Amino acid sequence: MEKPAQPTAKPGVKAATGRGINARRPAEAKLAELKQRLLEISELESVSSVLSWDHATYMPEGGAAARVRQGALISRIRHERAVDPALGRLLGDLTPYAEDLPDDSDAASLIRVARRDFEKAIRFPAGYVARASALRSAAYDAWTRARPENDFAAMQPYLERAVDLAREYAGYFAPYEHVADPLIDDAEEGMTAAMIIGLFSQLKQHLQPLADSICAQTDPRANCLQGFFDEAAQIGFSLSVVKRFGYDLARGRIDKTHHPFCSKFSLGDVRITTRVCERQFGPALFAAMHEAGHAMYEQGVAPELEGTPLGSGASFGVHESQSRLWENLVGRGRPFWEYFYPLLRDAFPDQLRGIELESFYRAINKVQRSLIRTAADEVTYNLHIMMRFGLELELLEGRLRIKDVPEAWRQRMKADLGIAPADDRDGCLQDVHWYGGVAFGGGFQSYTIGNILSAQFYDAATKAHPEIPNEIAKGEFGMLLGWLRTRLYRHGRKFTPAELVPRVAGAPMSIAPYVDYLRRKYSEIYRLPGAGTVNQRQINAPAR
Amino acid sequence: MEKPAQPTAKPGVKAATGRGINARRPAEAKLAELKQRLLEISELESVSSVLSWDHATYMPEGGAAARVRQGALISRIRHERAVDPALGRLLGDLTPYAEDLPDDSDAASLIRVARRDFEKAIRFPAGYVARASALRSAAYDAWTRARPENDFAAMQPYLERAVDLAREYAGYFAPYEHVADPLIDDAEEGMTAAMIIGLFSQLKQHLQPLADSICAQTDPRANCLQGFFDEAAQIGFSLSVVKRFGYDLARGRIDKTHHPFCSKFSLGDVRITTRVCERQFGPALFAAMHEAGHAMYEQGVAPELEGTPLGSGASFGVHESQSRLWENLVGRGRPFWEYFYPLLRDAFPDQLRGIELESFYRAINKVQRSLIRTAADEVTYNLHIMMRFGLELELLEGRLRIKDVPEAWRQRMKADLGIAPADDRDGCLQDVHWYGGVAFGGGFQSYTIGNILSAQFYDAATKAHPEIPNEIAKGEFGMLLGWLRTRLYRHGRKFTPAELVPRVAGAPMSIAPYVDYLRRKYSEIYRLPGAGTVNQRQINAPAR
């Protein structure tokens, strides 16, 4: 009844065949074993994702305690397999084999990336994983209570532990140039604090004057986005848009949650979530477009990479480039709304009566100094990120004390955004990220890297196919999606960002297309003087 | 940062304390280790349940292939832990300790039941688990295609494999009296084929004449249940009923699926599902009540048993007693509808216009010879089960050949139900159970055992609290639920059915209350002559 086991080379056959084949045979068997081991690690990650997705969508409140235990157990089993010495030996044995293959072949990439993952994973102990996971769960629960109470003191011990854990993690990778480097490397392989400091300081020089000159203008009226927008109709419209983008619903679905996310369980099951506020049009649709960007990236990874460490996006920042490209470059663009605004008015005729396309377009692109990062517009969003990245570095370096965070937050907001929160609820308690340690020192910078790359990739796509904006204005996205699939999505995690960006965009990462995009778009909306192309040489990102 | 490890007894401390304490200390430490190991096994079962629940509710079609792999992986990891020799040693070491404790104490029950589970699990190899799981997945897919095509030939190889697997499984437990015994024992610990044959032959003597005399009557009109019943309204009404029963929605929820089921992820998360047909009232509500019966049982298990092998229902049959009790004894009873029919008419005023309570009550209790087991009424349902149980025994014994199953099915249906299917679609292909081998020889009998026990338990409850029917007629279920929780639910799996039934009902399993219930109810509905109490001595179930 049992299927025959994988055929093994008989000694007789081995002796009879040529030397070259003999030498390769064991490597191929080892590669098959490697893939089997990596598949199980990947399946365990998917199982964790199913548990988290359910937690965030349908789980009744009574399920939380056991779900945390279940998630921790699967993570522990996954970690045990990821650091199994037998996996290490297999990777060691296969390295010479990989070196004989072209660098960009699937097999060479697989062995190279899996080896890097393994060498990272064995640096830190299983106890670290358990403690980090426990902090994340505990901090989330504490934060949901502390934020409404404006109670930073309650969160201070969590932030202390989060910073300690981040420093402990960095310690496993010593020596390093900057304590944040090992954390940054996890999100953006090959990048360092020094590189990001340079990048951000250039970007800031362009963004701050732009934000200042816009905020000196009179506000476009955005209250056309207020009213009553039925939940089912908002979800229905969002779904029609992301389907049109090319998000495959036979391999996905949309559900409601508090903090929208995209979750992959397999190449055939990549789900998105959104949140709906019936008093406002916007958040549900833009969240759906954002998550669909992530999801189309994952749905576009080459099937032969599925179930391996190569079977997902290249980095946090490259992933974010796709969510931002579809949400902002496409979804907040004029061509998009030329096609979709009439459809939106069909869906909400009373709410949008008398509001012309131009007013609507300005309303969804309103720029203002605001307190909450996740609700910030395209221009000021990065100022939030840069401020937080700066504070993170100071915390990790030990230059900023935990107890001084609320005051430092207010001062920095005032300096960078020109506005300061009245309380910590809208200040350093506004999101949970820091306290759970999830993204600590290894996450926020990627949002801005994603923004930079979104414009660079879109620029490259429209240079290759100048008709893309016209297609979008006809509600057609196949040309853009096809280009992204071929140039970017299918490669999964075969390449590091530094290897990948030139393959996609023809040049290393550069802030020029992004600054240029923001200047053009917002100079036109806000009728700013001197809108033009920026000097390419001045604003190249630091090369790697 | 790391929490101190569990304190271990220092040799010095050990020497200093008394002998009694010394002798107990290691047992208590071992009990703690046992619980930790069992907790992980239980959590892995919960993880499998989450994967299956999602598969059956929200998973897009593209997710199926990977989900089967993910489920198989978790099952394999669970099995490895369940047969870990270290677990066996721990159980062996703890047995003398358990023998010093009262038999019905939690600790003694835990060690006893965990040991029985372990001794079963080590009898069959991991390869068997994998093959059984592979057959289940493959058969389900094949059946979804073969049933609409009426293609028994396509399913024949699966049925052959299912019978082979069932016989192989029995072989691991040889010697046995009957080849079905090891399979039956898995569902109803302590029961055998001989016991069930005796039980069913008695029951059939009562049911067949009852069915015959009913079916000789004119049909009550049931078409008042046809019409258009909006999905959301049906789910809303079902939810209002099961909440009123006492199903705790802070620890549960309801979702749609094709084949309704109840799923437990933890004591705080026990979910039900239902299916909705908008052209008919009935299926959605009765499925919800049925699954809520299962769910209230699981929600009522004592919290101290959570995460152990004692933390769920006693057996398949005892579980089914609760789904049937709430669906039929309560939910198809006149007192229930005295309260709920006016509410139902409020929910569906147009559809139920002019239909009085009495007509409605008769329509939901219509008895008729029918082809599909899952849609059968209370009286004929068990005739389906008994027929299938008989065919299963013949298949397992090798007396019935696989290829002869369709013809045997038709003959037996004609003989037992007085009706035969025109094709296999409504005959031996009507459900997937046999082909996947899931319940083969170890499942169907439990449905009828559940029916028998449902009446016996309800009878005991109303003897203890004669006001229960009046409470139900006021929409109050607290007295019934409270009695069931105290007598039955809280014990979880501490006792075998033979140990448990006398604790709950005051006597061993007996068909008398069930036959009596059916006779009274249907004699009244169908105005049969000679409705009265049956002779207790004639119809006691075979004692264990």
Side-chain angles (χ1 to χ4, degrees):
Chain A
M1 188 67 91
E2 209 147 16
K3 278 194 179 174
Q6 199 170 294
T8 50
K10 289 180 206 158
V13 176
K14 217 170 175 180
T17 53
R19 195 176 169 277
I21 295 172
N22 264 341
R24 178 157 293 168
R25 167 84 55 179
E28 276 158 7
K30 281 177 182 170
L31 184 59
E33 189 197 330
L34 175 68
K35 284 183 178 173
Q36 182 55 36
R37 285 177 174 270
L38 296 172
L39 175 63
E40 293 194 356
I41 293 168
S42 162
E43 298 294 18
L44 288 166
E45 286 162 6
S46 297
V47 169
S48 289
S49 299
V50 175
L51 296 176
S52 302
W53 173 87
D54 180 70
H55 194 147
T57 51
Y58 294 110
M59 192 184 76
E61 58 183 274
R67 182 57 52 85
V68 169
R69 288 200 305 270
Q70 291 154 7
L73 175 61
I74 300 297
S75 294
R76 209 181 69 221
I77 295 171
R78 184 216 162 275
H79 184 74
E80 283 164 11
R81 290 178 183 232
V83 298
D84 187 338
L87 176 62
R89 282 193 299 274
L90 210 47
L91 287 162
D93 290 355
L94 282 164
T95 299
Y97 167 80
E99 282 163 0
D100 284 349
L101 299 171
D103 249 13
D104 63 353
S105 69
D106 288 352
S109 303
L110 176 66
I111 294 162
R112 182 178 65 240
V113 172
R115 190 169 178 169
R116 277 204 304 258
D117 287 351
F118 178 79
E119 281 165 2
K120 267 196 181 178
I122 57 172
R123 299 287 279 266
F124 52 90
Y128 174 83
V129 180
R131 279 177 287 129
S133 159
L135 175 65
R136 187 156 58 242
S137 306
Y140 185 81
D141 284 347
W143 173 77
T144 56
R145 289 186 299 272
R147 191 189 177 203
E149 304 284 326
N150 192 39
D151 186 359
F152 176 75
M155 295 312 294
Q156 207 173 311
Y158 295 95
L159 188 52
E160 268 157 20
R161 266 187 276 167
V163 173
D164 282 347
L165 274 173
R167 295 172 57 94
E168 180 189 336
Y169 184 82
Y172 296 124
F173 295 87
Y176 42 70
E177 205 174 301
H178 191 283
V179 61
D181 286 352
L183 302 149
I184 291 169
D185 191 74
D186 275 0
E188 304 301 322
E189 197 158 6
M191 295 200 80
T192 63
M195 287 160 73
I196 293 168
I197 291 168
L199 187 69
F200 283 7
S201 105
Q202 284 188 45
L203 185 60
K204 199 170 167 182
Q205 285 169 32
H206 294 277
L207 289 187
Q208 222 150 25
L210 181 63
D212 288 345
S213 46
I214 291 171
C215 294
Q217 309 281 313
T218 350
D219 269 358
R221 290 217 178 70
N223 57 9
C224 64
L225 306 178
Q226 312 291 318
F228 180 82
F229 296 85
D230 173 70
E231 178 176 299
Q234 285 205 59
I235 290 181
F237 187 80
S238 301
L239 209 47
S240 74
V241 168
V242 297
K243 269 171 77 170
R244 198 75 192 236
F245 276 174
Y247 171 52
D248 179 0
L249 279 161
R251 300 189 288 142
R253 53 176 290 118
I254 191 168
D255 297 277
K256 280 193 304 168
T257 192
H258 288 294
H259 305 280
F261 60 95
C262 165
S263 205
K264 182 185 198 171
F265 306 151
S266 66
L267 187 61
D269 191 354
V270 185
R271 307 187 189 181
I272 63 172
T273 53
T274 191
R275 70 195 160 91
V276 183
C277 163
E278 291 195 315
R279 285 168 295 110
Q280 199 184 359
F281 178 79
L285 173 64
F286 291 112
M289 294 199 281
H290 181 101
E291 303 308 336
H294 286 303
M296 290 188 288
Y297 187 0
E298 290 293 333
Q299 288 188 336
V301 174
E304 51 277 22
L305 304 183
E306 156 132 275
T308 79
L310 308 183
S312 67
S315 77
F316 190 168
V318 175
H319 232 300
E320 193 70 7
S321 79
Q322 293 314 295
S323 55
R324 302 296 273 183
L325 184 152
W326 289 97
E327 177 194 356
N328 289 338
L329 282 282
V330 175
R332 291 186 204 264
R334 199 179 254 113
F336 175 90
W337 287 107
E338 281 170 13
Y339 180 82
F340 279 101
Y341 191 59
L343 300 175
L344 184 69
R345 288 182 84 170
D346 288 347
F348 301 104
D350 297 334
Q351 296 89 330
L352 298 173
R353 178 156 302 140
I355 299 160
E356 295 312 312
L357 171 60
E358 192 58 27
S359 310
F360 177 82
Y361 173 68
R362 285 163 182 251
I364 60 167
N365 286 298
K366 180 179 171 176
V367 175
Q368 62 185 344
R369 306 187 192 280
S370 66
L371 295 171
I372 307 295
R373 171 185 63 89
T374 55
D377 57 83
E378 285 186 279
V379 177
T380 62
Y381 184 89
N382 299 295
L383 298 174
H384 288 263
I385 297 297
M386 294 184 216
M387 181 205 80
R388 296 190 72 158
F389 180 71
L391 289 175
E392 280 184 350
L393 293 188
E394 289 184 34
L395 282 165
L396 288 170
E397 290 162 8
R399 285 192 291 128
L400 173 62
R401 286 173 304 181
I402 308 292
K403 70 175 181 56
D404 297 332
V405 163
E407 186 48 36
W409 185 289
R410 280 188 289 273
Q411 285 179 9
R412 220 64 60 89
M413 278 293 288
K414 192 75 200 159
D416 291 1
L417 276 293
I419 183 174
D423 57 25
D424 296 334
R425 211 184 329 241
D426 290 339
C428 63
L429 288 175
Q430 68 178 250
D431 59 44
V432 72
H433 295 51
W434 276 354
Y435 306 96
V438 192
F440 209 89
F444 277 110
Q445 73 287 343
S446 297
Y447 291 111
T448 287
I449 291 170
N451 284 332
I452 294 168
L453 291 176
S454 70
Q456 194 171 359
F457 292 161
Y458 187 77
D459 187 55
T462 49
K463 279 188 176 126
H465 300 287
E467 61 275 43
I468 283 176
N470 290 335
E471 295 283 301
I472 292 176
K474 288 185 273 179
E476 300 294 342
F477 304 92
M479 194 168 286
L480 175 60
L481 181 60
W483 186 89
L484 288 165
R485 277 189 181 143
T486 311
R487 300 289 286 240
L488 173 59
Y489 298 174
R490 68 184 176 89
H491 295 309
R493 217 179 127 226
K494 280 173 74 169
F495 308 110
T496 64
E499 292 161 354
L500 183 65
V501 173
R503 281 182 179 258
V504 182
M509 178 161 68
S510 155
I511 64 170
Y514 183 52
V515 171
D516 198 30
Y517 157 73
L518 289 180
R519 282 232 183 113
R520 277 179 201 274
K521 175 171 176 177
Y522 290 94
S523 294
E524 191 265 336
I525 293 177
Y526 284 91
R527 299 184 178 82
L528 301 182
T533 318
V534 275
N535 185 333
Q536 289 277 347
R537 269 169 307 171
Q538 272 182 0
I539 56 171
N540 275 332
R544 205 197 149 192
Chain B
M1 189 67 94
E2 208 148 16
K3 278 192 180 175
Q6 199 171 294
T8 49
K10 289 180 206 157
V13 175
K14 219 171 176 178
T17 53
R19 196 175 169 277
I21 295 171
N22 264 341
R24 177 158 295 169
R25 166 84 56 182
E28 277 158 6
K30 282 177 179 169
L31 185 60
E33 190 197 330
L34 176 69
K35 285 184 179 172
Q36 183 53 39
R37 286 177 173 270
L38 295 172
L39 176 63
E40 293 193 356
I41 293 169
S42 162
E43 298 294 18
L44 288 165
E45 286 161 7
S46 297
V47 170
S48 289
S49 299
V50 175
L51 297 175
S52 302
W53 174 88
D54 179 69
H55 193 148
T57 50
Y58 295 110
M59 193 185 76
E61 57 183 278
R67 183 56 52 85
V68 169
R69 288 199 307 269
Q70 291 154 5
L73 175 61
I74 300 298
S75 293
R76 209 182 69 220
I77 294 172
R78 184 216 163 274
H79 184 75
E80 284 163 10
R81 290 176 184 233
V83 299
D84 187 336
L87 176 62
R89 282 193 297 274
L90 211 46
L91 287 163
D93 290 354
L94 281 165
T95 299
Y97 166 81
E99 282 163 359
D100 284 348
L101 299 171
D103 248 15
D104 62 354
S105 69
D106 288 353
S109 303
L110 176 66
I111 294 162
R112 182 177 67 239
V113 171
R115 191 170 176 167
R116 277 203 305 259
D117 287 352
F118 178 79
E119 281 165 2
K120 268 195 182 181
I122 56 172
R123 298 287 278 267
F124 52 90
Y128 174 83
V129 180
R131 280 178 287 128
S133 159
L135 175 65
R136 189 158 54 242
S137 306
Y140 185 81
D141 285 346
W143 173 78
T144 56
R145 290 187 299 270
R147 192 189 175 201
E149 304 283 326
N150 192 39
D151 187 0
F152 176 74
M155 295 313 293
Q156 207 173 311
Y158 295 95
L159 188 51
E160 268 157 19
R161 265 188 275 167
V163 173
D164 282 348
L165 275 173
R167 295 171 58 93
E168 180 189 335
Y169 184 81
Y172 296 123
F173 295 88
Y176 41 71
E177 205 174 301
H178 190 283
V179 60
D181 286 353
L183 301 150
I184 291 169
D185 191 74
D186 275 1
E188 303 302 321
E189 196 158 8
M191 294 200 83
T192 64
M195 288 161 72
I196 292 167
I197 291 168
L199 187 70
F200 283 8
S201 108
Q202 285 187 43
L203 184 62
K204 199 171 171 185
Q205 285 169 33
H206 295 278
L207 290 187
Q208 221 150 23
L210 182 63
D212 287 345
S213 46
I214 292 171
C215 294
Q217 311 278 314
T218 351
D219 269 357
R221 292 216 177 69
N223 58 7
C224 64
L225 306 179
Q226 313 291 319
F228 180 82
F229 296 86
D230 172 70
E231 178 176 300
Q234 285 204 58
I235 290 181
F237 188 79
S238 301
L239 209 47
S240 73
V241 167
V242 298
K243 268 171 78 169
R244 199 73 192 237
F245 277 173
Y247 172 51
D248 178 0
L249 279 160
R251 300 188 289 144
R253 53 177 289 118
I254 191 168
D255 296 277
K256 281 194 303 166
T257 190
H258 287 295
H259 305 279
F261 61 94
C262 166
S263 207
K264 182 184 197 172
F265 306 151
S266 65
L267 187 61
D269 191 353
V270 184
R271 306 187 190 180
I272 64 172
T273 54
T274 192
R275 70 195 161 91
V276 182
C277 163
E278 291 195 316
R279 286 168 295 108
Q280 197 184 0
F281 178 78
L285 174 63
F286 291 112
M289 294 200 280
H290 183 102
E291 302 309 334
H294 286 303
M296 289 187 289
Y297 187 1
E298 291 294 333
Q299 287 187 336
V301 173
E304 50 277 24
L305 304 182
E306 157 133 275
T308 79
L310 308 183
S312 67
S315 78
F316 190 166
V318 175
H319 232 300
E320 193 71 6
S321 80
Q322 293 314 295
S323 54
R324 302 296 274 182
L325 186 151
W326 289 98
E327 176 194 357
N328 289 337
L329 283 281
V330 175
R332 290 187 204 265
R334 199 176 257 116
F336 175 89
W337 287 106
E338 282 170 13
Y339 180 83
F340 279 101
Y341 192 58
L343 300 176
L344 184 68
R345 290 182 83 170
D346 289 346
F348 301 103
D350 297 333
Q351 297 88 331
L352 298 173
R353 179 156 300 140
I355 298 160
E356 294 311 310
L357 171 60
E358 192 58 28
S359 310
F360 176 82
Y361 173 66
R362 283 162 183 251
I364 60 167
N365 285 298
K366 180 180 171 174
V367 176
Q368 62 185 345
R369 305 186 192 282
S370 65
L371 295 171
I372 306 297
R373 172 184 63 89
T374 55
D377 56 82
E378 284 186 279
V379 177
T380 62
Y381 183 89
N382 299 295
L383 298 173
H384 288 265
I385 296 299
M386 293 185 216
M387 183 206 78
R388 297 191 71 159
F389 181 70
L391 290 175
E392 281 185 351
L393 294 189
E394 289 183 34
L395 282 166
L396 288 170
E397 291 162 8
R399 286 192 290 129
L400 172 62
R401 286 172 304 182
I402 307 292
K403 71 177 181 55
D404 297 332
V405 163
E407 185 49 34
W409 184 289
R410 280 189 287 273
Q411 284 179 9
R412 222 61 61 88
M413 278 294 285
K414 191 76 202 159
D416 291 1
L417 275 295
I419 184 174
D423 57 22
D424 296 333
R425 210 184 328 241
D426 290 339
C428 64
L429 287 175
Q430 68 178 251
D431 59 42
V432 72
H433 294 53
W434 276 355
Y435 306 95
V438 192
F440 210 90
F444 276 112
Q445 74 286 343
S446 297
Y447 290 113
T448 286
I449 291 169
N451 284 332
I452 293 168
L453 291 175
S454 70
Q456 193 171 359
F457 293 160
Y458 187 76
D459 187 54
T462 50
K463 279 189 177 125
H465 299 289
E467 61 276 40
I468 283 176
N470 290 333
E471 295 283 300
I472 291 176
K474 287 184 274 179
E476 299 296 341
F477 303 92
M479 195 169 286
L480 175 60
L481 181 59
W483 188 88
L484 288 165
R485 276 187 183 146
T486 310
R487 299 289 287 242
L488 173 58
Y489 298 172
R490 70 185 174 89
H491 296 309
R493 217 179 128 226
K494 281 173 74 171
F495 307 111
T496 65
E499 291 162 353
L500 182 65
V501 174
R503 280 182 180 261
V504 181
M509 177 161 67
S510 156
I511 63 169
Y514 184 51
V515 172
D516 197 31
Y517 157 71
L518 290 179
R519 282 234 181 111
R520 277 177 202 274
K521 176 171 177 178
Y522 289 95
S523 294
E524 190 265 339
I525 293 177
Y526 283 91
R527 299 184 179 81
L528 301 181
T533 318
V534 276
N535 184 334
Q536 289 276 346
R537 269 170 307 170
Q538 273 181 359
I539 55 172
N540 274 332
R544 205 197 150 195

